[in-house]
Coordinates of all heavy atoms in Angstrom, one line a residue:
Q656 N 27.8 -5.1 18.0 CA 27.3 -6.2 17.1 C 27.1 -7.4 17.9 O 26.1 -8.1 17.8 CB 28.1 -6.3 15.8 CG 27.6 -7.6 14.9 CD 26.2 -7.1 14.3 OE1 26.0 -6.0 13.9 NE2 25.3 -8.1 14.4
A657 N 28.2 -7.8 18.7 CA 28.2 -9.1 19.5 C 27.0 -8.9 20.6 O 26.3 -10.0 20.9 CB 29.5 -9.2 20.2
F658 N 26.8 -7.8 21.1 CA 25.8 -7.6 22.1 C 24.4 -7.7 21.5 O 23.5 -8.4 22.0 CB 25.8 -6.2 22.7 CG 24.7 -5.7 23.5 CD1 24.5 -6.5 24.8 CD2 23.9 -4.7 23.2 CE1 23.5 -6.2 25.6 CE2 22.8 -4.4 24.1 CZ 22.7 -5.1 25.2
G659 N 24.2 -7.2 20.4 CA 22.9 -7.5 19.5 C 22.7 -8.8 19.3 O 21.6 -9.3 19.4
D660 N 23.8 -9.5 18.9 CA 23.6 -11.0 18.7 C 23.3 -11.9 19.8 O 22.6 -12.7 19.8 CB 24.8 -11.5 17.8 CG 25.0 -11.1 16.5 OD1 24.1 -10.6 15.9 OD2 26.3 -11.0 16.1
F661 N 24.0 -11.4 21.0 CA 23.7 -12.1 22.2 C 22.2 -11.9 22.6 O 21.5 -12.7 23.2 CB 24.5 -11.7 23.3 CG 24.3 -12.4 24.6 CD1 24.7 -13.6 24.9 CD2 23.6 -11.6 25.6 CE1 24.4 -14.1 26.2 CE2 23.4 -12.1 26.9 CZ 23.7 -13.4 27.1
Q662 N 21.7 -10.7 22.5 CA 20.4 -10.3 22.9 C 19.4 -11.3 22.1 O 18.4 -11.8 22.5 CB 20.0 -8.9 22.5 CG 20.5 -7.9 23.7 CD 19.9 -6.6 23.5 OE1 20.2 -6.0 22.6 NE2 19.3 -6.1 24.5
A663 N 19.7 -11.3 20.8 CA 18.9 -12.0 19.7 C 18.7 -13.5 20.0 O 17.7 -14.2 19.9 CB 19.2 -11.8 18.4
Q664 N 19.9 -14.1 20.6 CA 19.9 -15.6 20.9 C 19.6 -15.9 22.3 O 18.8 -16.8 22.4 CB 21.4 -16.1 20.5 CG 21.7 -15.9 19.0 CD 23.2 -16.3 18.9 OE1 23.6 -17.4 18.7 NE2 24.0 -15.2 18.8
G665 N 20.3 -15.3 23.3 CA 20.2 -15.8 24.6 C 21.0 -17.1 24.8 O 21.3 -17.7 23.9
F666 N 21.1 -17.4 26.0 CA 22.0 -18.8 26.2 C 21.1 -19.9 25.6 O 19.9 -19.9 25.8 CB 22.2 -19.0 27.7 CG 23.2 -18.0 28.2 CD1 22.9 -17.1 29.1 CD2 24.5 -18.1 27.8 CE1 23.8 -16.2 29.6 CE2 25.5 -17.3 28.3 CZ 25.2 -16.3 29.2
P667 N 21.7 -20.9 25.0 CA 20.9 -22.0 24.4 C 20.5 -22.9 25.5 O 21.1 -23.2 26.5 CB 22.0 -22.7 23.5 CG 23.3 -22.4 24.1 CD 23.2 -21.0 24.7
T668 N 19.3 -23.4 25.2 CA 18.8 -24.5 26.1 C 19.3 -25.9 25.6 O 20.0 -26.0 24.6 CB 17.2 -24.4 26.1 OG1 16.8 -24.9 24.7 CG2 16.8 -23.1 26.4
R669 N 18.9 -27.0 26.4 CA 19.3 -28.3 26.0 C 18.6 -28.8 24.7 O 18.9 -29.8 24.3 CB 19.1 -29.2 27.2 CG 20.0 -28.9 28.2 CD 20.2 -30.2 29.2 NE 21.2 -30.0 30.1 CZ 21.7 -31.0 30.9 NH1 21.1 -32.2 30.8 NH2 22.6 -30.8 31.9
K670 N 17.5 -28.0 24.3 CA 16.8 -28.4 23.0 C 17.8 -28.1 21.9 O 17.6 -28.6 20.7 CB 15.6 -27.6 22.9 CG 14.5 -28.0 24.0 CD 13.2 -27.3 23.8 CE 12.2 -27.7 25.0 NZ 11.0 -26.9 24.8
V671 N 18.8 -27.2 22.0 CA 19.6 -26.9 20.9 C 20.7 -28.1 20.8 O 21.2 -28.5 21.7 CB 20.5 -25.7 21.2 CG1 21.5 -25.4 20.1 CG2 19.4 -24.4 21.3
E672 N 20.8 -28.6 19.7 CA 21.5 -29.9 19.2 C 22.9 -29.9 19.9 O 23.3 -30.8 20.5 CB 21.6 -30.3 17.8 CG 22.3 -31.5 17.4 CD 21.6 -32.8 17.9 OE1 20.3 -32.7 18.2 OE2 22.1 -33.8 18.1
R673 N 23.7 -28.9 19.5 CA 25.0 -28.9 20.0 C 25.3 -28.5 21.5 O 26.4 -28.4 22.0 CB 25.9 -27.8 19.1 CG 25.9 -28.2 17.7 CD 27.1 -27.4 17.0 NE 28.4 -27.9 17.3 CZ 29.5 -27.3 16.9 NH1 29.4 -26.4 15.8 NH2 30.6 -27.8 17.2
C674 N 24.2 -28.3 22.2 CA 24.2 -27.9 23.6 C 23.5 -28.8 24.5 O 23.2 -28.5 25.7 CB 23.8 -26.5 23.9 SG 24.9 -25.3 22.9
K675 N 22.9 -29.9 24.1 CA 21.9 -30.8 24.8 C 22.6 -31.4 26.0 O 21.9 -32.0 26.8 CB 21.4 -31.7 23.9 CG 22.1 -32.9 23.2 CD 21.4 -33.6 22.3 CE 22.0 -34.7 21.6 NZ 21.2 -35.5 20.7
Y676 N 24.0 -31.5 26.1 CA 24.7 -32.2 27.1 C 25.0 -31.4 28.3 O 25.5 -32.0 29.3 CB 25.7 -33.1 26.6 CG 25.3 -34.2 25.6 CD1 25.9 -34.1 24.3 CD2 24.4 -35.2 26.0 CE1 25.5 -35.1 23.4 CE2 24.1 -36.0 25.0 CZ 24.5 -36.0 23.6 OH 24.1 -37.0 22.6
T677 N 25.0 -30.1 28.2 CA 25.5 -29.1 29.2 C 24.4 -28.0 29.3 O 24.0 -27.5 28.4 CB 26.9 -28.6 28.8 OG1 27.8 -29.6 28.7 CG2 27.3 -27.7 29.9
D678 N 24.1 -27.9 30.6 CA 23.0 -26.8 30.9 C 23.7 -25.4 30.9 O 24.2 -25.0 31.9 CB 22.3 -27.1 32.3 CG 21.1 -26.1 32.5 OD1 21.1 -25.0 31.9 OD2 20.2 -26.6 33.3
M679 N 23.8 -24.7 29.8 CA 24.5 -23.4 29.8 C 23.9 -22.5 30.5 O 24.7 -21.6 31.2 CB 24.4 -23.0 28.3 CG 25.1 -24.1 27.3 SD 26.9 -24.3 27.6 CE 27.5 -23.0 27.1
E680 N 22.5 -22.2 30.6 CA 22.0 -21.2 31.5 C 22.4 -21.3 32.9 O 22.7 -20.4 33.6 CB 20.4 -21.2 31.4 CG 19.9 -20.8 30.0 CD 18.5 -20.6 30.0 OE1 17.8 -21.3 30.8 OE2 17.9 -19.7 29.3
K681 N 22.4 -22.6 33.3 CA 22.8 -22.7 34.8 C 24.2 -22.5 35.1 O 24.6 -22.0 36.2 CB 22.6 -24.4 35.1 CG 22.8 -24.8 36.6 CD 22.5 -26.2 36.9 CE 22.7 -26.5 38.3 NZ 22.3 -28.0 38.6
L682 N 25.2 -22.7 34.1 CA 26.5 -22.4 34.3 C 26.7 -20.8 34.5 O 27.5 -20.5 35.3 CB 27.3 -22.7 33.0 CG 27.8 -24.3 32.9 CD1 28.6 -24.3 31.6 CD2 28.6 -24.6 34.1
F683 N 25.9 -20.0 33.8 CA 26.0 -18.7 33.8 C 25.2 -17.8 34.9 O 25.2 -16.6 34.9 CB 25.9 -18.0 32.5 CG 27.1 -18.3 31.5 CD1 27.0 -19.5 30.8 CD2 28.1 -17.3 31.3 CE1 28.0 -19.7 29.9 CE2 29.1 -17.6 30.4 CZ 29.0 -18.8 29.8
E684 N 24.4 -18.7 35.6 CA 23.4 -18.0 36.5 C 24.0 -17.4 37.6 O 23.5 -16.4 38.1 CB 22.4 -19.1 36.8 CG 21.1 -18.6 37.6 CD 20.1 -19.8 37.8 OE1 20.5 -20.9 37.9 OE2 18.9 -19.4 37.8
P685 N 25.0 -18.0 38.4 CA 25.5 -17.3 39.5 C 26.0 -15.8 39.3 O 26.3 -15.5 38.2 CB 26.6 -18.2 40.0 CG 26.3 -19.5 39.4 CD 25.7 -19.2 38.0
D686 N 26.1 -15.2 40.4 CA 26.5 -13.7 40.2 C 28.0 -13.7 40.5 O 28.5 -13.7 41.6 CB 25.8 -12.9 41.3 CG 26.0 -11.4 41.2 OD1 26.7 -11.0 40.2 OD2 25.8 -10.7 42.2
Y687 N 28.7 -13.6 39.4 CA 30.1 -13.5 39.5 C 30.7 -12.1 39.4 O 30.0 -11.3 38.7 CB 30.9 -14.3 38.3 CG 30.6 -15.8 38.4 CD1 29.6 -16.4 37.7 CD2 31.5 -16.6 39.2 CE1 29.4 -17.8 37.7 CE2 31.3 -18.0 39.2 CZ 30.2 -18.5 38.4 OH 30.1 -19.9 38.5
G688 N 31.9 -11.9 39.9 CA 32.5 -10.6 39.8 C 33.1 -10.5 38.5 O 33.5 -11.5 37.9
L689 N 33.4 -9.3 38.0 CA 34.0 -8.9 36.8 C 35.1 -7.8 36.9 O 34.8 -6.8 37.7 CB 33.0 -8.5 35.7 CG 32.3 -9.7 35.0 CD1 30.9 -9.0 34.4 CD2 33.0 -10.4 34.1
N690 N 36.2 -8.0 36.4 CA 37.2 -6.9 36.7 C 37.3 -6.0 35.3 O 38.2 -6.1 34.6 CB 38.7 -7.6 36.8 CG 39.6 -6.7 37.2 OD1 39.4 -5.4 37.4 ND2 41.0 -7.0 36.9
L691 N 36.2 -5.2 35.2 CA 36.1 -4.6 34.0 C 37.0 -3.2 34.0 O 37.4 -2.8 33.0 CB 34.5 -4.0 33.8 CG 33.7 -5.2 33.7 CD1 32.3 -4.6 33.5 CD2 34.0 -6.2 32.6
K692 N 37.4 -2.8 35.2 CA 38.4 -1.6 35.3 C 39.8 -2.1 35.2 O 40.7 -1.2 35.2 CB 38.0 -0.9 36.7 CG 36.9 -0.2 36.9 CD 36.7 0.6 38.1 CE 35.4 1.4 38.2 NZ 35.3 2.1 39.6
R693 N 40.0 -3.4 34.9 CA 41.4 -3.9 34.6 C 42.3 -3.6 35.9 O 43.5 -3.1 35.7 CB 42.0 -3.4 33.4 CG 41.1 -3.4 32.3 CD 40.3 -4.7 32.0 NE 40.9 -5.8 31.7 CZ 40.5 -7.1 31.8 NH1 39.3 -7.3 32.3 NH2 41.4 -8.1 31.5
L694 N 41.9 -3.7 37.1 CA 42.6 -3.5 38.2 C 43.7 -4.6 38.3 O 43.5 -5.7 37.9 CB 41.8 -3.6 39.5 CG 40.7 -2.6 39.6 CD1 40.0 -2.9 41.0 CD2 41.2 -1.2 39.7
D695 N 44.9 -4.2 38.7 CA 46.0 -5.1 38.8 C 45.8 -6.2 39.7 O 45.2 -6.0 40.9 CB 47.3 -4.4 39.4 CG 48.0 -3.6 38.2 OD1 47.8 -4.1 37.1 OD2 48.9 -2.8 38.4
I696 N 45.9 -7.4 39.4 CA 45.9 -8.6 40.3 C 47.2 -8.9 41.0 O 48.2 -9.0 40.3 CB 45.4 -9.9 39.5 CG1 44.1 -9.6 38.6 CG2 45.3 -11.0 40.4 CD1 42.9 -9.2 39.6
P697 N 47.2 -8.9 42.4 CA 48.4 -9.1 43.1 C 49.0 -10.5 43.0 O 48.6 -11.3 43.9 CB 48.1 -8.7 44.5 CG 46.6 -9.1 44.7 CD 46.1 -8.7 43.2
V698 N 49.7 -10.8 41.9 CA 50.3 -12.1 41.8 C 51.6 -12.0 41.1 O 51.5 -11.2 39.9 CB 49.2 -13.0 41.2 CG1 48.9 -12.6 39.8 CG2 49.9 -14.4 41.0
N699 N 52.6 -12.6 41.3 CA 53.7 -12.8 40.5 C 53.8 -14.3 40.1 O 54.2 -15.1 40.8 CB 55.1 -12.4 41.2 CG 56.3 -12.5 40.4 OD1 56.2 -13.2 39.3 ND2 57.4 -11.8 40.7
P700 N 53.3 -14.6 38.8 CA 53.3 -16.0 38.4 C 54.7 -16.7 38.5 O 54.6 -17.8 38.6 CB 52.6 -15.7 37.0 CG 53.0 -14.5 36.6 CD 53.0 -13.6 37.8
Y701 N 55.6 -15.9 38.4 CA 57.0 -16.7 38.3 C 57.3 -17.2 39.8 O 58.0 -18.2 39.9 CB 58.2 -15.7 37.9 CG 58.2 -15.5 36.4 CD1 57.5 -14.3 35.9 CD2 58.7 -16.3 35.6 CE1 57.5 -14.0 34.5 CE2 58.7 -16.0 34.2 CZ 58.2 -14.9 33.7 OH 57.9 -14.7 32.4
N702 N 56.9 -16.4 40.7 CA 57.2 -16.8 42.1 C 56.0 -17.8 42.6 O 56.4 -18.8 43.4 CB 57.2 -15.6 43.1 CG 58.4 -14.8 42.8 OD1 59.5 -15.3 42.3 ND2 58.3 -13.5 43.0
A703 N 54.8 -17.6 42.2 CA 53.7 -18.4 42.7 C 53.5 -19.6 41.9 O 52.8 -20.6 42.5 CB 52.5 -17.5 42.6
F704 N 53.9 -19.7 40.8 CA 53.5 -20.8 39.9 C 54.5 -21.2 38.9 O 54.9 -20.3 38.0 CB 52.1 -20.5 39.2 CG 51.3 -21.7 39.0 CD1 50.2 -22.0 39.8 CD2 51.5 -22.6 37.9 CE1 49.4 -23.1 39.6 CE2 50.7 -23.7 37.7 CZ 49.7 -24.0 38.5
K705 N 55.1 -22.4 39.1 CA 56.1 -22.9 38.0 C 55.7 -24.1 37.4 O 55.4 -25.0 38.0 CB 57.5 -23.1 38.8 CG 57.9 -21.9 39.3 CD 59.5 -22.1 39.9 CE 60.1 -20.8 40.6 NZ 60.2 -19.7 39.6
C706 N 55.4 -23.9 36.1 CA 54.6 -25.0 35.4 C 55.5 -25.5 34.1 O 55.0 -26.0 33.3 CB 53.3 -24.6 34.9 SG 52.2 -25.9 34.3
D707 N 56.8 -25.1 34.1 CA 57.5 -25.5 33.0 C 57.8 -27.0 32.9 O 58.2 -27.6 33.9 CB 58.9 -24.7 32.9 CG 59.7 -24.8 34.1 OD1 59.0 -24.8 35.2 OD2 60.9 -24.8 34.0

Side-chain angles (χ1 to χ4, degrees):
Q656 179 63 49
F658 173 64
D660 290 336
F661 177 77
Q662 277 189 304
Q664 297 172 82
F666 290 111
T668 67
R669 290 197 174 194
K670 294 180 180 179
V671 176
E672 180 66 24
R673 296 196 69 179
C674 300
K675 65 182 181 181
Y676 299 119
T677 301
D678 190 339
M679 303 298 283
E680 286 189 335
K681 186 176 179 180
L682 281 183
F683 287 87
E684 190 174 28
D686 185 14
Y687 292 96
L689 284 162
N690 185 15
L691 302 184
K692 290 185 178 180
R693 317 315 290 165
L694 302 176
D695 276 343
I696 303 297
V698 60
N699 183 339
Y701 286 97
N702 292 332
F704 210 101
K705 297 185 181 298
C706 189
D707 51 329

